PDB file of all heavy atoms in Angstrom:
ATOM      1  N   LEU A 238     -19.411  66.233  24.489  1.00  0.00           N
ATOM      2  CA  LEU A 238     -20.043  67.278  23.685  1.00  0.00           C
ATOM      3  C   LEU A 238     -21.539  67.397  23.931  1.00  0.00           C
ATOM      4  O   LEU A 238     -22.155  68.385  23.513  1.00  0.00           O
ATOM      5  CB  LEU A 238     -19.807  67.001  22.192  1.00  0.00           C
ATOM      6  CG  LEU A 238     -18.336  66.868  21.770  1.00  0.00           C
ATOM      7  CD1 LEU A 238     -18.244  66.371  20.335  1.00  0.00           C
ATOM      8  CD2 LEU A 238     -17.606  68.191  21.929  1.00  0.00           C
ATOM      9  N   ALA A 239     -22.140  66.414  24.571  1.00  0.00           N
ATOM     10  CA  ALA A 239     -23.580  66.445  24.853  1.00  0.00           C
ATOM     11  C   ALA A 239     -23.850  67.399  26.017  1.00  0.00           C
ATOM     12  O   ALA A 239     -23.116  67.396  27.014  1.00  0.00           O
ATOM     13  CB  ALA A 239     -24.090  65.053  25.184  1.00  0.00           C
ATOM     14  N   VAL A 240     -24.883  68.202  25.888  1.00  0.00           N
ATOM     15  CA  VAL A 240     -25.204  69.189  26.923  1.00  0.00           C
ATOM     16  C   VAL A 240     -26.010  68.491  28.020  1.00  0.00           C
ATOM     17  O   VAL A 240     -27.222  68.645  28.135  1.00  0.00           O
ATOM     18  CB  VAL A 240     -25.977  70.378  26.322  1.00  0.00           C
ATOM     19  CG1 VAL A 240     -26.196  71.478  27.356  1.00  0.00           C
ATOM     20  CG2 VAL A 240     -25.225  70.941  25.123  1.00  0.00           C
ATOM     21  N   SER A 241     -25.301  67.705  28.825  1.00  0.00           N
ATOM     22  CA  SER A 241     -25.971  66.869  29.816  1.00  0.00           C
ATOM     23  C   SER A 241     -24.979  66.424  30.873  1.00  0.00           C
ATOM     24  O   SER A 241     -23.921  65.856  30.554  1.00  0.00           O
ATOM     25  CB  SER A 241     -26.581  65.640  29.128  1.00  0.00           C
ATOM     26  OG  SER A 241     -26.741  64.569  30.007  1.00  0.00           O
ATOM     27  N   ASN A 242     -25.294  66.661  32.148  1.00  0.00           N
ATOM     28  CA  ASN A 242     -24.423  66.207  33.228  1.00  0.00           C
ATOM     29  C   ASN A 242     -24.297  64.684  33.250  1.00  0.00           C
ATOM     30  O   ASN A 242     -23.232  64.141  33.541  1.00  0.00           O
ATOM     31  CB  ASN A 242     -24.954  66.706  34.571  1.00  0.00           C
ATOM     32  CG  ASN A 242     -24.770  68.202  34.751  1.00  0.00           C
ATOM     33  OD1 ASN A 242     -23.932  68.816  34.099  1.00  0.00           O
ATOM     34  ND2 ASN A 242     -25.558  68.794  35.628  1.00  0.00           N
ATOM     35  N   ALA A 243     -25.404  63.995  32.933  1.00  0.00           N
ATOM     36  CA  ALA A 243     -25.371  62.535  32.931  1.00  0.00           C
ATOM     37  C   ALA A 243     -24.400  62.004  31.881  1.00  0.00           C
ATOM     38  O   ALA A 243     -23.724  60.991  32.099  1.00  0.00           O
ATOM     39  CB  ALA A 243     -26.779  61.983  32.684  1.00  0.00           C
ATOM     40  N   SER A 244     -24.317  62.701  30.741  1.00  0.00           N
ATOM     41  CA  SER A 244     -23.401  62.255  29.685  1.00  0.00           C
ATOM     42  C   SER A 244     -21.946  62.437  30.120  1.00  0.00           C
ATOM     43  O   SER A 244     -21.077  61.646  29.756  1.00  0.00           O
ATOM     44  CB  SER A 244     -23.672  63.015  28.387  1.00  0.00           C
ATOM     45  OG  SER A 244     -23.270  64.371  28.480  1.00  0.00           O
ATOM     46  N   PHE A 245     -21.666  63.484  30.910  1.00  0.00           N
ATOM     47  CA  PHE A 245     -20.304  63.668  31.431  1.00  0.00           C
ATOM     48  C   PHE A 245     -19.924  62.488  32.327  1.00  0.00           C
ATOM     49  O   PHE A 245     -18.822  61.952  32.231  1.00  0.00           O
ATOM     50  CB  PHE A 245     -20.212  64.953  32.265  1.00  0.00           C
ATOM     51  CG  PHE A 245     -20.463  66.234  31.511  1.00  0.00           C
ATOM     52  CD1 PHE A 245     -20.718  67.402  32.200  1.00  0.00           C
ATOM     53  CD2 PHE A 245     -20.426  66.281  30.128  1.00  0.00           C
ATOM     54  CE1 PHE A 245     -20.952  68.589  31.533  1.00  0.00           C
ATOM     55  CE2 PHE A 245     -20.652  67.463  29.440  1.00  0.00           C
ATOM     56  CZ  PHE A 245     -20.917  68.627  30.149  1.00  0.00           C
ATOM     57  N   GLN A 246     -20.852  62.102  33.195  1.00  0.00           N
ATOM     58  CA  GLN A 246     -20.592  61.021  34.134  1.00  0.00           C
ATOM     59  C   GLN A 246     -20.367  59.700  33.397  1.00  0.00           C
ATOM     60  O   GLN A 246     -19.475  58.919  33.739  1.00  0.00           O
ATOM     61  CB  GLN A 246     -21.763  60.889  35.111  1.00  0.00           C
ATOM     62  CG  GLN A 246     -21.388  60.408  36.497  1.00  0.00           C
ATOM     63  CD  GLN A 246     -20.569  61.428  37.285  1.00  0.00           C
ATOM     64  OE1 GLN A 246     -20.952  62.577  37.402  1.00  0.00           O
ATOM     65  NE2 GLN A 246     -19.428  60.991  37.807  1.00  0.00           N
ATOM     66  N   ALA A 247     -21.179  59.472  32.354  1.00  0.00           N
ATOM     67  CA  ALA A 247     -21.037  58.242  31.579  1.00  0.00           C
ATOM     68  C   ALA A 247     -19.700  58.213  30.843  1.00  0.00           C
ATOM     69  O   ALA A 247     -19.033  57.169  30.773  1.00  0.00           O
ATOM     70  CB  ALA A 247     -22.196  58.111  30.592  1.00  0.00           C
ATOM     71  N   ALA A 248     -19.291  59.364  30.293  1.00  0.00           N
ATOM     72  CA  ALA A 248     -18.018  59.432  29.576  1.00  0.00           C
ATOM     73  C   ALA A 248     -16.849  59.180  30.529  1.00  0.00           C
ATOM     74  O   ALA A 248     -15.887  58.480  30.185  1.00  0.00           O
ATOM     75  CB  ALA A 248     -17.879  60.787  28.892  1.00  0.00           C
ATOM     76  N   TYR A 249     -16.937  59.738  31.718  1.00  0.00           N
ATOM     77  CA  TYR A 249     -15.891  59.502  32.724  1.00  0.00           C
ATOM     78  C   TYR A 249     -15.802  58.011  33.048  1.00  0.00           C
ATOM     79  O   TYR A 249     -14.710  57.432  33.115  1.00  0.00           O
ATOM     80  CB  TYR A 249     -16.193  60.313  33.985  1.00  0.00           C
ATOM     81  CG  TYR A 249     -15.230  60.046  35.125  1.00  0.00           C
ATOM     82  CD1 TYR A 249     -14.049  60.772  35.239  1.00  0.00           C
ATOM     83  CD2 TYR A 249     -15.506  59.061  36.077  1.00  0.00           C
ATOM     84  CE1 TYR A 249     -13.165  60.526  36.278  1.00  0.00           C
ATOM     85  CE2 TYR A 249     -14.625  58.807  37.111  1.00  0.00           C
ATOM     86  CZ  TYR A 249     -13.457  59.531  37.214  1.00  0.00           C
ATOM     87  OH  TYR A 249     -12.575  59.275  38.238  1.00  0.00           O
ATOM     88  N   GLY A 250     -16.959  57.386  33.237  1.00  0.00           N
ATOM     89  CA  GLY A 250     -16.987  55.965  33.571  1.00  0.00           C
ATOM     90  C   GLY A 250     -16.494  55.063  32.456  1.00  0.00           C
ATOM     91  O   GLY A 250     -16.143  53.909  32.698  1.00  0.00           O
ATOM     92  N   ALA A 251     -16.458  55.580  31.234  1.00  0.00           N
ATOM     93  CA  ALA A 251     -16.025  54.781  30.085  1.00  0.00           C
ATOM     94  C   ALA A 251     -14.514  54.762  29.896  1.00  0.00           C
ATOM     95  O   ALA A 251     -13.999  53.993  29.081  1.00  0.00           O
ATOM     96  CB  ALA A 251     -16.688  55.319  28.818  1.00  0.00           C
ATOM     97  N   LEU A 252     -13.791  55.605  30.638  1.00  0.00           N
ATOM     98  CA  LEU A 252     -12.345  55.720  30.434  1.00  0.00           C
ATOM     99  C   LEU A 252     -11.592  54.496  30.945  1.00  0.00           C
ATOM    100  O   LEU A 252     -11.945  53.911  31.970  1.00  0.00           O
ATOM    101  CB  LEU A 252     -11.809  56.955  31.152  1.00  0.00           C
ATOM    102  CG  LEU A 252     -12.271  58.311  30.630  1.00  0.00           C
ATOM    103  CD1 LEU A 252     -11.805  59.418  31.574  1.00  0.00           C
ATOM    104  CD2 LEU A 252     -11.762  58.555  29.214  1.00  0.00           C
ATOM    105  N   ARG A 253     -10.548  54.133  30.248  1.00  0.00           N
ATOM    106  CA  ARG A 253      -9.627  53.122  30.739  1.00  0.00           C
ATOM    107  C   ARG A 253      -8.644  53.792  31.702  1.00  0.00           C
ATOM    108  O   ARG A 253      -8.607  55.019  31.808  1.00  0.00           O
ATOM    109  CB  ARG A 253      -8.878  52.454  29.589  1.00  0.00           C
ATOM    110  CG  ARG A 253      -8.037  53.416  28.772  1.00  0.00           C
ATOM    111  CD  ARG A 253      -7.408  52.747  27.562  1.00  0.00           C
ATOM    112  NE  ARG A 253      -6.253  51.940  27.947  1.00  0.00           N
ATOM    113  CZ  ARG A 253      -6.001  50.720  27.487  1.00  0.00           C
ATOM    114  NH1 ARG A 253      -6.815  50.140  26.627  1.00  0.00           N
ATOM    115  NH2 ARG A 253      -4.934  50.064  27.874  1.00  0.00           N
ATOM    116  N   ARG A 254      -7.836  53.013  32.370  1.00  0.00           N
ATOM    117  CA  ARG A 254      -6.817  53.586  33.263  1.00  0.00           C
ATOM    118  C   ARG A 254      -5.873  54.472  32.445  1.00  0.00           C
ATOM    119  O   ARG A 254      -5.415  54.084  31.374  1.00  0.00           O
ATOM    120  CB  ARG A 254      -6.031  52.500  33.980  1.00  0.00           C
ATOM    121  CG  ARG A 254      -6.868  51.688  34.938  1.00  0.00           C
ATOM    122  CD  ARG A 254      -6.015  50.821  35.835  1.00  0.00           C
ATOM    123  NE  ARG A 254      -6.099  51.262  37.234  1.00  0.00           N
ATOM    124  CZ  ARG A 254      -5.349  50.771  38.203  1.00  0.00           C
ATOM    125  NH1 ARG A 254      -4.430  49.847  37.932  1.00  0.00           N
ATOM    126  NH2 ARG A 254      -5.485  51.188  39.432  1.00  0.00           N
ATOM    127  N   GLY A 255      -5.618  55.663  32.988  1.00  0.00           N
ATOM    128  CA  GLY A 255      -4.757  56.610  32.278  1.00  0.00           C
ATOM    129  C   GLY A 255      -5.501  57.401  31.221  1.00  0.00           C
ATOM    130  O   GLY A 255      -4.881  58.181  30.495  1.00  0.00           O
ATOM    131  N   GLY A 256      -6.822  57.223  31.133  1.00  0.00           N
ATOM    132  CA  GLY A 256      -7.598  57.902  30.104  1.00  0.00           C
ATOM    133  C   GLY A 256      -7.820  59.380  30.402  1.00  0.00           C
ATOM    134  O   GLY A 256      -7.603  59.853  31.518  1.00  0.00           O
ATOM    135  N   THR A 257      -8.283  60.095  29.362  1.00  0.00           N
ATOM    136  CA  THR A 257      -8.490  61.537  29.455  1.00  0.00           C
ATOM    137  C   THR A 257      -9.917  61.898  29.080  1.00  0.00           C
ATOM    138  O   THR A 257     -10.393  61.519  28.001  1.00  0.00           O
ATOM    139  CB  THR A 257      -7.527  62.299  28.519  1.00  0.00           C
ATOM    140  OG1 THR A 257      -6.179  61.993  28.877  1.00  0.00           O
ATOM    141  CG2 THR A 257      -7.745  63.800  28.609  1.00  0.00           C
ATOM    142  N   LEU A 258     -10.597  62.607  29.961  1.00  0.00           N
ATOM    143  CA  LEU A 258     -11.915  63.152  29.666  1.00  0.00           C
ATOM    144  C   LEU A 258     -11.746  64.615  29.291  1.00  0.00           C
ATOM    145  O   LEU A 258     -11.201  65.404  30.068  1.00  0.00           O
ATOM    146  CB  LEU A 258     -12.838  63.027  30.887  1.00  0.00           C
ATOM    147  CG  LEU A 258     -14.204  63.715  30.787  1.00  0.00           C
ATOM    148  CD1 LEU A 258     -15.035  63.149  29.644  1.00  0.00           C
ATOM    149  CD2 LEU A 258     -14.960  63.612  32.105  1.00  0.00           C
ATOM    150  N   VAL A 259     -12.203  64.980  28.099  1.00  0.00           N
ATOM    151  CA  VAL A 259     -12.126  66.366  27.639  1.00  0.00           C
ATOM    152  C   VAL A 259     -13.533  66.962  27.672  1.00  0.00           C
ATOM    153  O   VAL A 259     -14.418  66.538  26.933  1.00  0.00           O
ATOM    154  CB  VAL A 259     -11.547  66.453  26.215  1.00  0.00           C
ATOM    155  CG1 VAL A 259     -11.381  67.915  25.804  1.00  0.00           C
ATOM    156  CG2 VAL A 259     -10.207  65.733  26.131  1.00  0.00           C
ATOM    157  N   LEU A 260     -13.732  67.935  28.557  1.00  0.00           N
ATOM    158  CA  LEU A 260     -15.022  68.603  28.685  1.00  0.00           C
ATOM    159  C   LEU A 260     -15.098  69.772  27.713  1.00  0.00           C
ATOM    160  O   LEU A 260     -14.231  70.647  27.720  1.00  0.00           O
ATOM    161  CB  LEU A 260     -15.211  69.110  30.123  1.00  0.00           C
ATOM    162  CG  LEU A 260     -15.210  68.045  31.225  1.00  0.00           C
ATOM    163  CD1 LEU A 260     -15.244  68.713  32.596  1.00  0.00           C
ATOM    164  CD2 LEU A 260     -16.382  67.100  31.052  1.00  0.00           C
ATOM    165  N   VAL A 261     -16.148  69.770  26.890  1.00  0.00           N
ATOM    166  CA  VAL A 261     -16.339  70.826  25.897  1.00  0.00           C
ATOM    167  C   VAL A 261     -17.707  71.486  26.058  1.00  0.00           C
ATOM    168  O   VAL A 261     -17.823  72.713  26.077  1.00  0.00           O
ATOM    169  CB  VAL A 261     -16.180  70.268  24.463  1.00  0.00           C
ATOM    170  CG1 VAL A 261     -16.419  71.365  23.431  1.00  0.00           C
ATOM    171  CG2 VAL A 261     -14.789  69.658  24.269  1.00  0.00           C
ATOM    172  N   ALA A 262     -18.771  70.671  26.161  1.00  0.00           N
ATOM    173  CA  ALA A 262     -20.129  71.216  26.278  1.00  0.00           C
ATOM    174  C   ALA A 262     -20.263  72.012  27.573  1.00  0.00           C
ATOM    175  O   ALA A 262     -19.631  71.699  28.586  1.00  0.00           O
ATOM    176  CB  ALA A 262     -21.155  70.085  26.250  1.00  0.00           C
ATOM    177  N   LEU A 263     -21.112  73.047  27.525  1.00  0.00           N
ATOM    178  CA  LEU A 263     -21.289  73.931  28.684  1.00  0.00           C
ATOM    179  C   LEU A 263     -22.768  74.077  29.027  1.00  0.00           C
ATOM    180  O   LEU A 263     -23.372  75.128  28.786  1.00  0.00           O
ATOM    181  CB  LEU A 263     -20.690  75.308  28.379  1.00  0.00           C
ATOM    182  CG  LEU A 263     -19.167  75.408  28.373  1.00  0.00           C
ATOM    183  CD1 LEU A 263     -18.725  76.750  27.806  1.00  0.00           C
ATOM    184  CD2 LEU A 263     -18.618  75.216  29.775  1.00  0.00           C
ATOM    185  N   PRO A 264     -23.376  73.041  29.590  1.00  0.00           N
ATOM    186  CA  PRO A 264     -24.775  73.182  29.998  1.00  0.00           C
ATOM    187  C   PRO A 264     -24.903  74.188  31.137  1.00  0.00           C
ATOM    188  O   PRO A 264     -23.988  74.327  31.955  1.00  0.00           O
ATOM    189  CB  PRO A 264     -25.155  71.774  30.464  1.00  0.00           C
ATOM    190  CG  PRO A 264     -23.860  71.144  30.859  1.00  0.00           C
ATOM    191  CD  PRO A 264     -22.828  71.718  29.938  1.00  0.00           C
ATOM    192  N   ALA A 265     -26.026  74.910  31.168  1.00  0.00           N
ATOM    193  CA  ALA A 265     -26.273  75.816  32.281  1.00  0.00           C
ATOM    194  C   ALA A 265     -26.264  75.012  33.573  1.00  0.00           C
ATOM    195  O   ALA A 265     -26.945  73.998  33.693  1.00  0.00           O
ATOM    196  CB  ALA A 265     -27.620  76.520  32.091  1.00  0.00           C
ATOM    197  N   GLY A 266     -25.456  75.436  34.543  1.00  0.00           N
ATOM    198  CA  GLY A 266     -25.362  74.701  35.794  1.00  0.00           C
ATOM    199  C   GLY A 266     -24.655  73.369  35.670  1.00  0.00           C
ATOM    200  O   GLY A 266     -24.864  72.474  36.494  1.00  0.00           O
ATOM    201  N   GLY A 267     -23.810  73.222  34.655  1.00  0.00           N
ATOM    202  CA  GLY A 267     -23.130  71.950  34.437  1.00  0.00           C
ATOM    203  C   GLY A 267     -22.196  71.575  35.589  1.00  0.00           C
ATOM    204  O   GLY A 267     -21.446  72.412  36.089  1.00  0.00           O
ATOM    205  N   LYS A 268     -22.242  70.305  36.000  1.00  0.00           N
ATOM    206  CA  LYS A 268     -21.392  69.809  37.072  1.00  0.00           C
ATOM    207  C   LYS A 268     -20.968  68.376  36.790  1.00  0.00           C
ATOM    208  O   LYS A 268     -21.694  67.614  36.164  1.00  0.00           O
ATOM    209  CB  LYS A 268     -22.128  69.845  38.420  1.00  0.00           C
ATOM    210  CG  LYS A 268     -22.349  71.244  38.972  1.00  0.00           C
ATOM    211  CD  LYS A 268     -22.976  71.183  40.356  1.00  0.00           C
ATOM    212  CE  LYS A 268     -23.159  72.584  40.925  1.00  0.00           C
ATOM    213  NZ  LYS A 268     -23.764  72.549  42.288  1.00  0.00           N
ATOM    214  N   LEU A 269     -19.783  68.036  37.274  1.00  0.00           N
ATOM    215  CA  LEU A 269     -19.291  66.667  37.190  1.00  0.00           C
ATOM    216  C   LEU A 269     -18.715  66.296  38.549  1.00  0.00           C
ATOM    217  O   LEU A 269     -17.795  66.948  39.041  1.00  0.00           O
ATOM    218  CB  LEU A 269     -18.213  66.541  36.114  1.00  0.00           C
ATOM    219  CG  LEU A 269     -17.481  65.204  36.029  1.00  0.00           C
ATOM    220  CD1 LEU A 269     -18.437  64.086  35.636  1.00  0.00           C
ATOM    221  CD2 LEU A 269     -16.312  65.293  35.049  1.00  0.00           C
ATOM    222  N   GLU A 270     -19.267  65.257  39.183  1.00  0.00           N
ATOM    223  CA  GLU A 270     -18.754  64.787  40.459  1.00  0.00           C
ATOM    224  C   GLU A 270     -17.700  63.712  40.212  1.00  0.00           C
ATOM    225  O   GLU A 270     -17.966  62.719  39.534  1.00  0.00           O
ATOM    226  CB  GLU A 270     -19.891  64.232  41.315  1.00  0.00           C
ATOM    227  CG  GLU A 270     -20.873  65.291  41.786  1.00  0.00           C
ATOM    228  CD  GLU A 270     -21.852  64.746  42.811  1.00  0.00           C
ATOM    229  OE1 GLU A 270     -21.700  63.560  43.212  1.00  0.00           O
ATOM    230  OE2 GLU A 270     -22.754  65.503  43.197  1.00  0.00           O
ATOM    231  N   LEU A 271     -16.521  63.922  40.790  1.00  0.00           N
ATOM    232  CA  LEU A 271     -15.418  62.999  40.580  1.00  0.00           C
ATOM    233  C   LEU A 271     -15.116  62.214  41.843  1.00  0.00           C
ATOM    234  O   LEU A 271     -14.936  62.807  42.916  1.00  0.00           O
ATOM    235  CB  LEU A 271     -14.153  63.767  40.163  1.00  0.00           C
ATOM    236  CG  LEU A 271     -14.193  64.506  38.835  1.00  0.00           C
ATOM    237  CD1 LEU A 271     -12.875  65.237  38.622  1.00  0.00           C
ATOM    238  CD2 LEU A 271     -14.441  63.535  37.690  1.00  0.00           C
ATOM    239  N   PRO A 272     -15.021  60.896  41.734  1.00  0.00           N
ATOM    240  CA  PRO A 272     -14.559  60.095  42.872  1.00  0.00           C
ATOM    241  C   PRO A 272     -13.039  60.227  42.976  1.00  0.00           C
ATOM    242  O   PRO A 272     -12.303  59.772  42.092  1.00  0.00           O
ATOM    243  CB  PRO A 272     -14.981  58.673  42.492  1.00  0.00           C
ATOM    244  CG  PRO A 272     -15.031  58.680  40.995  1.00  0.00           C
ATOM    245  CD  PRO A 272     -15.386  60.078  40.577  1.00  0.00           C
ATOM    246  N   VAL A 273     -12.579  60.856  44.018  1.00  0.00           N
ATOM    247  CA  VAL A 273     -11.154  61.169  44.135  1.00  0.00           C
ATOM    248  C   VAL A 273     -10.297  59.909  44.146  1.00  0.00           C
ATOM    249  O   VAL A 273      -9.271  59.832  43.452  1.00  0.00           O
ATOM    250  CB  VAL A 273     -10.895  62.030  45.386  1.00  0.00           C
ATOM    251  CG1 VAL A 273      -9.387  62.248  45.588  1.00  0.00           C
ATOM    252  CG2 VAL A 273     -11.610  63.360  45.264  1.00  0.00           C
ATOM    253  N   PHE A 274     -10.704  58.907  44.914  1.00  0.00           N
ATOM    254  CA  PHE A 274      -9.903  57.685  45.021  1.00  0.00           C
ATOM    255  C   PHE A 274      -9.696  57.051  43.650  1.00  0.00           C
ATOM    256  O   PHE A 274      -8.570  56.736  43.254  1.00  0.00           O
ATOM    257  CB  PHE A 274     -10.584  56.694  45.976  1.00  0.00           C
ATOM    258  CG  PHE A 274      -9.791  55.442  46.209  1.00  0.00           C
ATOM    259  CD1 PHE A 274      -8.766  55.406  47.141  1.00  0.00           C
ATOM    260  CD2 PHE A 274     -10.058  54.291  45.479  1.00  0.00           C
ATOM    261  CE1 PHE A 274      -8.019  54.250  47.350  1.00  0.00           C
ATOM    262  CE2 PHE A 274      -9.324  53.134  45.677  1.00  0.00           C
ATOM    263  CZ  PHE A 274      -8.299  53.111  46.623  1.00  0.00           C
ATOM    264  N   GLU A 275     -10.794  56.864  42.904  1.00  0.00           N
ATOM    265  CA  GLU A 275     -10.691  56.229  41.580  1.00  0.00           C
ATOM    266  C   GLU A 275      -9.894  57.090  40.612  1.00  0.00           C
ATOM    267  O   GLU A 275      -9.101  56.581  39.803  1.00  0.00           O
ATOM    268  CB  GLU A 275     -12.083  55.963  41.021  1.00  0.00           C
ATOM    269  CG  GLU A 275     -12.853  54.880  41.756  1.00  0.00           C
ATOM    270  CD  GLU A 275     -14.252  54.704  41.192  1.00  0.00           C
ATOM    271  OE1 GLU A 275     -14.507  55.183  40.074  1.00  0.00           O
ATOM    272  OE2 GLU A 275     -15.095  54.096  41.881  1.00  0.00           O
ATOM    273  N   THR A 276     -10.114  58.397  40.658  1.00  0.00           N
ATOM    274  CA  THR A 276      -9.405  59.299  39.743  1.00  0.00           C
ATOM    275  C   THR A 276      -7.900  59.209  39.966  1.00  0.00           C
ATOM    276  O   THR A 276      -7.114  59.144  39.012  1.00  0.00           O
ATOM    277  CB  THR A 276      -9.891  60.743  39.934  1.00  0.00           C
ATOM    278  OG1 THR A 276     -11.291  60.802  39.673  1.00  0.00           O
ATOM    279  CG2 THR A 276      -9.169  61.694  38.994  1.00  0.00           C
ATOM    280  N   VAL A 277      -7.483  59.200  41.230  1.00  0.00           N
ATOM    281  CA  VAL A 277      -6.062  59.112  41.546  1.00  0.00           C
ATOM    282  C   VAL A 277      -5.513  57.727  41.196  1.00  0.00           C
ATOM    283  O   VAL A 277      -4.477  57.587  40.541  1.00  0.00           O
ATOM    284  CB  VAL A 277      -5.824  59.428  43.035  1.00  0.00           C
ATOM    285  CG1 VAL A 277      -4.362  59.156  43.420  1.00  0.00           C
ATOM    286  CG2 VAL A 277      -6.184  60.878  43.334  1.00  0.00           C
TER     287      VAL A 277
END
């Protein structure tokens, strides 16, 4: 919910295996880089 790309990255890193990140905040130019290997 924080309007911050860094907060998205931190939330992703906090997930346990099988966890779900729900993106809600919409910062201008918002982006989230995902490591494909870890995500899969």
Side-chain angles (χ1 to χ4, degrees):
L238 304 171
V240 186
S241 155
N242 289 339
S244 71
F245 296 165
Q246 211 69 52
Y249 175 88
L252 294 172
R253 61 185 283 136
R254 294 192 113 187
T257 301
L258 173 61
V259 184
L260 299 173
V261 178
L263 286 169
K268 289 185 178 180
L269 173 64
E270 292 189 5
L271 296 178
V273 175
F274 183 83
E275 291 178 16
T276 300
V277 172

